[in-house]
């Protein structure tokens, strides 16, 4: 008979539950995938490659590629399986993501039949090891400004790949230091003396023995803050020639005489279409960071349920640290947010799966909305991971600082995720721009009266575009309780309305301020820069609302009544915590009275108390196999020994 934790896990795993369970079972069945602390670069990299080859031998990568190319075409399954690797080893997750997600994804999504036939099967089987050479020393998030050039020579029908400046060096590239034999290089295409923007080229960089090919200079980034199993490196190109056919030409091609053609006339639209096909990497990074957070919270919670500190009144025993309200306040809201974000991630992956299955028939507007959602959730997931892992480390005291207990490793390995696949602040800004473009052009010439009429309809429509379970959410909104009673804050409709009202207000006033700034400033950059803080707040409010709605939908899908009730309490804690964090705004804008603002804090404390007996059930619902926790303090001494353990100094 399934336990409540089983039902929670099933709900969290969502549509691709079988993929997650299969991946967990594979990871738990082999000692090779046991969490480890290997600070030596050579040993860590060798271990990661052994793990990769073991995965390849089991056909692990097939989900990420189309059936006609040797895969299964299960995009959602591929994302979920790579996310699950993060519970074992983040270096393995990154290495797999680079090889099969980024390098392989570039070939499949940007290439055509000639590339698919020559390279995809070899990439799946690890017969061809590759890297994804986009980021440069001088440019990361601003991909359109990359400096590496690919100049076409019609005399030889070759592209000449070149690094013209020190800042054009490809930098931080996973696989470039040691293992990769070929790079998917993003460079400015030049033909007949005209620049055509950034395109992707397949460039061999090493021979079979691992030696740099002529004109290619690779170097090793060496030790990083973490991820020792990933061989990050740098690449410089000195007039390296590749055949014309090495241009990944799904969206643009160059004929033998140098004539450029593309089915997409606009340079900018072509560029964003190409990048849009690679959104899977951003989705995977966010989900993997969230998986690492769930591991950390599981370790910290289980430790808090065995570690005791200070004498209990009228007892010879000491108090479990999980029984202290302040400790509950540390961990339980983060557990609640992990649940919330996972439901939102599931919904995002389903959307990605559906759109990528449509291929070139996908609706451009839906694709842009997917990219905005992926950017926002990547930022939310990775910032959450940073906070959750750090709090988990602190919650375990000196034991949490020991490498054998894994938390410092998780912290080191996940830290880069807030800037990996896009800096979080830049990505949050992207979310806001996507929302504002729904009406930005139209507001510039409006009078205040026209603007208010416009905002009353259009902004509301943008906000009310539901993410999931539209009818359920509308019913909850219709039955909300808007009163000063503490209990009304536990009303789901009330919570949803507060999130929605905040987003709508911030978005409409951001647009209004942008309209005013455009009238005052000659430079559009100065106008946008003037309201940037407001815009970022609006984007964050949007993501909060999306996540809450996804949580509501996830609860509705849960098949067990007890588990559903528990999820409802967890959802309360998530919603009230978000309101608490932005309490000043709610009070300033009269969405909360002073007394009701105090009730938010009381509500959080109440939910912490009611969830305390279920703490272990909640983290068991994350579904982390015991063998993948990798924390010695949970496996070794019993309660008494742990209680008496001294803290390292």
């Amino acid at each position: 008979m399934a336990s409540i934790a089983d039902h929670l896990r099933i709900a969290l795993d969502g549509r691709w539950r079988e993929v997650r369970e299969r991946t967990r079972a594979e990871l738990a069945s082999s000692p090779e995938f046991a969490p480890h602390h290997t600070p030596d670069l050579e040993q860590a990299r060798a271990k990661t490659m052994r793990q990769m080859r073991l995965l390849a031998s089991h056909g692990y990568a097939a989900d990420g590629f189309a059936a006609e190319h040797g895969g299964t075409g299960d995009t959602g399954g591929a994302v979920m399986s790579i996310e699950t690797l993060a519970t074992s080893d983040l270096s393995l997750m990154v290495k797999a993501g680079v090889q099969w997600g980024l390098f392989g994804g570039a070939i499949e999504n940007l290439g055509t039949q000639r590339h698919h036939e020559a390279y995809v099967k070899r990439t799946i089987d690890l017969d061809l090891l590759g890297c994804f050479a986009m980021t440069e020393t001088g440019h990361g998030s601003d991909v359109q400004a990359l400096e590496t050039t690919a100049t076409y020579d019609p005399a030889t029908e070759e592209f000449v790949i070149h690094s013209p400046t020190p800042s054009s060096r490809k930098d931080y590239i996973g696989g470039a230091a040691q293992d990769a034999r070929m790079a998917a290089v993003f460079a400015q295409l030049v033909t007949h003396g005209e620049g055509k923007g950034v395109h992707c080229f397949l460039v061999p960089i090493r021979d079979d023995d691992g030696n740099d090919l002529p004109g290619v200079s690779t170097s090793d980034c060496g030790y990083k803050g973490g991820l020792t199993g990933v061989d990050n490196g740098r690449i410089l190109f000195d007039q390296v020639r590749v055949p014309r056919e090495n241009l990944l030409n799904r969206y643009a091609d160059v004929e033998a005489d140098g004539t450029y053609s593309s089915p997409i006339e606009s340079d900018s639209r072509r560029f964003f279409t190409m990048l849009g096909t690679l959104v899977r990497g951003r989705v995977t990074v966010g989900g993997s960071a969230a998986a690492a957070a769930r591991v950390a919270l599981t370790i910290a919670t289980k430790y808090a349920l065995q570690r005791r500190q200070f004498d209990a009144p009228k007892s010879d025993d000491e108090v479990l640290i999980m029984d202290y309200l302040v400790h509950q306040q540390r961990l339980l809201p983060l557990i609640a947010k992990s649940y919330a974000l996972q439901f939102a991630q599931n919904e995002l992956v389903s959307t990605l799966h559906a759109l990528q299955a449509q291929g070139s028939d996908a609706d451009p507007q839906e694709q842009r909305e997917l990219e905005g959602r992926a950017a926002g959730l990547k930022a939310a997931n990775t910032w959450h991971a940073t906070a959750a892992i750090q709090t988990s480390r602190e919650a375990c005291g000196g034991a949490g600082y020991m490498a054998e207990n894994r938390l410092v490793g998780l912290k080191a390995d996940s830290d880069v995720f807030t800037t990996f696949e896009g800096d979080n602040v830049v990505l949050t800004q992207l979310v806001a721009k996507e929302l504002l473009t729904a009406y930005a052009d139209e507001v510039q010439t409006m009078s205040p009266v026209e603007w208010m009429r416009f905002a009353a309809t259009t902004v509301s429509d943008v906000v009310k575009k539901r993410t999931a379970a539209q009818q359920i959410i509308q019913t909850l909104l219709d039955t909300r309780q808007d009163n000063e009673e503490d209990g009304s804050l536990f009303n789901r409709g009330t919570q949803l309305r507060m999130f929605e009202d905040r987003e709508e207000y911030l978005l409409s006033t951001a647009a209004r301020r942008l309209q005013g700034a455009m009238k005052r400033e000659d430079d559009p950059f100065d106008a946008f820069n003037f309201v940037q803080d407001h815009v970022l707040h609006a984007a964050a409010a949007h993501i909060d609302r999306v996540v809450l709605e996804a949580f509501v939908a996830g609860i509705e899908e849960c098949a067990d009544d007890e588990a559903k009730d528990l999820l409802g309490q967890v959802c309360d804690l998530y919603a009230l915590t978000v309101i608490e964090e932005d309490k000043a705004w709610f009070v300033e804008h009269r969405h909360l009275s002073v007394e009701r603002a105090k009730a938010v804090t009381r509500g959080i404390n109440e939910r912490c108390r009611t969830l305390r007996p279920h703490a272990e059930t909640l983290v068991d619902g994350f579904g982390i196999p015991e063998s993948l926790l990798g924390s010695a303090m949970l496996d070794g001494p019993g309660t008494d020994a742990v209680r008496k353990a001294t803290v390292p100094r």
Side-chain angles (χ1 to χ4, degrees):
M1 184 175 177
S3 66
I4 295 178
D6 291 331
H7 286 292
L8 293 176
R9 188 190 71 253
I10 290 168
L12 268 186
D13 283 351
R15 175 178 172 182
W16 282 275
R17 175 169 62 92
E18 292 182 1
V19 173
R20 286 187 177 278
E21 289 181 345
R22 184 176 67 245
T23 306
R24 287 188 193 111
E26 290 176 355
L27 294 174
S29 66
S30 172
E32 193 67 65
F33 296 113
H36 61 97
H37 174 63
T38 309
D40 180 82
L41 285 182
E42 184 176 350
Q43 293 177 14
R45 291 173 179 179
K47 182 173 182 64
T48 301
M49 274 310 304
R50 289 198 304 273
Q51 293 173 326
M52 287 282 289
R53 296 202 180 279
L54 190 55
L55 290 176
S57 70
H58 293 163
Y60 171 86
D63 283 347
F65 297 89
E68 58 267 29
H69 305 151
T72 68
D74 187 0
T75 300
V79 173
M80 292 303 189
S81 60
I82 289 183
E83 283 183 16
T84 307
L85 292 182
T87 61
S88 166
D89 187 344
L90 284 167
S91 284
L92 174 60
M93 171 264 144
V94 171
K95 191 78 170 178
V98 168
Q99 171 70 16
W100 293 312
L102 294 178
F103 176 70
I107 294 172
E108 176 154 278
N109 293 308
L110 300 181
T112 52
Q113 185 177 358
R114 69 192 187 210
H115 307 109
H116 301 154
E117 292 177 349
Y119 301 114
V120 170
K121 188 67 168 64
R122 295 173 60 204
T123 299
I124 293 173
D125 296 339
L126 298 186
D127 292 336
L128 174 64
L129 295 173
C131 63
F132 187 77
M134 178 183 282
T135 299
E136 296 178 358
T137 304
H139 290 90
S141 297
D142 188 5
V143 178
Q144 282 183 292
L146 295 178
E147 297 176 83
T148 301
T149 56
T151 306
Y152 184 67
D153 181 357
T156 61
E157 297 187 22
E158 293 173 315
F159 283 101
V160 182
I161 313 298
H162 187 60
S163 307
T165 65
S167 60
S168 66
R169 177 185 64 183
K170 296 296 180 181
D171 216 341
Y172 325 119
I173 310 300
Q178 179 176 306
D179 293 329
R181 299 298 186 259
M182 179 176 282
V185 177
F186 286 78
Q188 302 284 354
L189 190 158
V190 180
T191 183
H192 290 166
E194 293 184 15
K196 298 296 183 180
V198 172
H199 293 65
C200 189
F201 304 81
L202 295 179
V203 183
I205 60 173
R206 288 190 179 88
D207 62 23
D208 291 341
D209 296 324
N211 301 308
D212 288 352
L213 291 173
V216 177
S217 299
T218 65
S219 56
D220 198 324
C221 290
Y223 282 97
K224 309 179 294 292
L227 298 174
T228 51
V230 183
D231 54 322
N232 293 87
R234 305 179 174 103
I235 314 173
L236 281 166
F237 301 100
D238 184 9
Q239 309 292 338
V240 176
R241 290 179 172 267
V242 298
R244 178 174 64 91
E245 291 76 16
N246 282 31
L247 166 65
L248 295 178
N249 63 330
R250 178 178 177 183
Y251 295 105
D253 209 350
V254 174
E255 301 299 323
D257 65 357
T259 301
Y260 178 88
S261 63
S262 171
I264 304 174
E265 292 186 11
S266 166
D267 289 350
S268 62
R269 192 161 76 83
R270 184 188 318 115
F271 169 76
F272 286 111
T273 299
M274 287 192 291
L275 286 194
T277 65
L278 304 174
V279 70
R280 194 172 88 192
R282 187 165 287 166
V283 173
T284 304
V285 165
S288 298
R294 294 194 294 275
V295 173
L297 288 166
T298 301
I299 292 170
T301 300
K302 288 183 177 292
Y303 181 73
L305 292 169
Q306 69 178 36
R307 178 73 156 91
R308 295 180 180 273
Q309 188 74 273
F310 300 111
D311 293 337
K314 302 178 182 179
S315 172
D316 294 332
D317 211 344
E318 291 178 299
V319 180
L320 281 171
I321 59 176
M322 198 60 177
D323 287 337
Y324 291 104
L325 177 62
V326 69
H327 210 76
Q328 297 164 20
Q329 291 170 334
R330 281 173 131 179
L331 297 178
L332 290 174
L334 292 169
I335 291 171
K337 191 168 186 177
S338 284
Y339 270 84
L341 287 169
Q342 187 56 47
F343 285 122
Q345 181 75 5
N346 290 347
E347 189 180 302
L348 175 67
V349 173
S350 291
T351 303
L352 169 71
H353 181 85
L355 284 177
Q356 295 212 336
Q358 296 172 27
S360 57
D361 295 329
D363 180 78
Q365 177 60 32
E366 291 183 358
Q367 180 67 33
R368 286 194 298 274
E369 289 175 1
L370 168 68
E371 291 162 18
R373 184 69 51 79
L377 282 177
K378 184 269 178 181
N381 272 315
T382 54
W383 270 328
H384 169 64
T386 296
I389 295 170
Q390 175 62 24
T391 298
S392 296
R393 205 293 300 158
E394 292 179 16
C396 294
Y401 198 59
M402 303 296 289
E404 66 178 4
N405 291 323
R406 199 181 177 191
L407 292 170
V408 288
L410 286 170
K411 178 176 169 58
D413 288 344
S414 66
D415 189 51
V416 73
F417 281 45
T418 56
T419 48
F420 186 28
E421 280 288 324
D423 174 87
N424 279 359
V425 173
V426 176
L427 293 183
T428 306
Q429 190 169 279
L430 186 154
V431 175
K433 286 182 176 179
E434 174 60 33
L435 295 169
L436 288 167
T437 52
Y439 49 86
D441 292 338
E442 296 157 88
V443 304
Q444 293 181 25
T445 59
M446 285 184 182
S447 70
V449 173
E450 291 171 326
W451 158 251
M452 292 305 294
R453 188 180 302 119
F454 181 80
T457 56
T458 306
V459 178
S460 182
D461 290 342
V462 170
V463 172
K464 290 177 182 175
K465 187 165 186 180
R466 302 295 178 205
T467 54
Q470 179 169 345
Q471 188 58 49
I472 297 162
I473 290 166
Q474 191 58 53
T475 300
L476 290 169
L477 285 166
D478 292 342
T479 58
R480 67 186 184 275
Q481 298 172 3
D482 297 333
N483 57 57
E484 288 293 318
E485 297 295 324
D486 286 12
S488 70
L489 290 169
F490 293 133
N491 178 270
R492 191 75 68 235
T494 300
Q495 296 163 1
L496 286 162
R497 174 61 70 193
M498 291 180 72
F499 278 53
E500 188 175 283
D501 286 350
R502 180 179 60 145
E503 179 188 354
E504 187 172 324
Y505 184 92
L506 285 166
L507 190 56
S508 62
T509 51
R512 181 70 183 272
R513 285 186 64 195
L514 185 59
Q515 177 194 23
M518 290 292 287
K519 290 178 179 178
R520 292 191 304 273
E521 305 288 346
D522 294 331
D523 187 343
F525 167 78
D526 288 339
F528 188 81
N529 205 35
F530 180 74
V531 301
Q532 194 171 27
D533 57 340
H534 193 147
V535 162
L536 291 173
H537 196 176
H542 170 73
I543 294 301
D544 286 341
R545 192 262 302 172
V546 164
V547 171
L548 179 59
E549 290 190 358
F551 204 153
V552 171
I555 294 171
E556 188 64 24
E557 291 294 316
C558 183
D560 181 78
D561 288 340
E562 284 188 83
K564 183 179 287 190
D565 179 67
L566 186 57
L567 284 173
Q569 296 181 56
V570 175
C571 188
D572 284 339
L573 183 55
Y574 166 71
L576 293 177
T577 301
V578 172
I579 294 169
E580 172 92 358
E581 289 170 349
D582 208 9
K583 188 190 290 185
W585 185 90
F586 283 105
V587 173
E588 286 172 1
H589 295 83
R590 301 185 181 181
H591 289 269
L592 281 177
S593 66
V594 173
E595 186 53 43
R596 204 166 185 224
K598 296 176 184 177
V600 173
T601 303
R602 291 195 295 270
I604 290 173
N605 291 343
E606 173 63 22
R607 278 294 171 258
C608 284
R609 282 189 287 268
T610 59
L611 289 172
R612 159 62 186 92
H614 306 285
E616 188 161 25
T617 298
L618 290 174
V619 294
D620 285 345
F622 291 154
I624 314 297
E626 188 175 340
S627 63
L628 295 184
L629 290 177
S631 183
M633 65 185 174
L634 302 181
D635 300 328
T639 302
D640 289 341
V642 171
R643 182 184 59 201
K644 301 300 183 184
T646 57
V647 176
R649 288 179 172 82

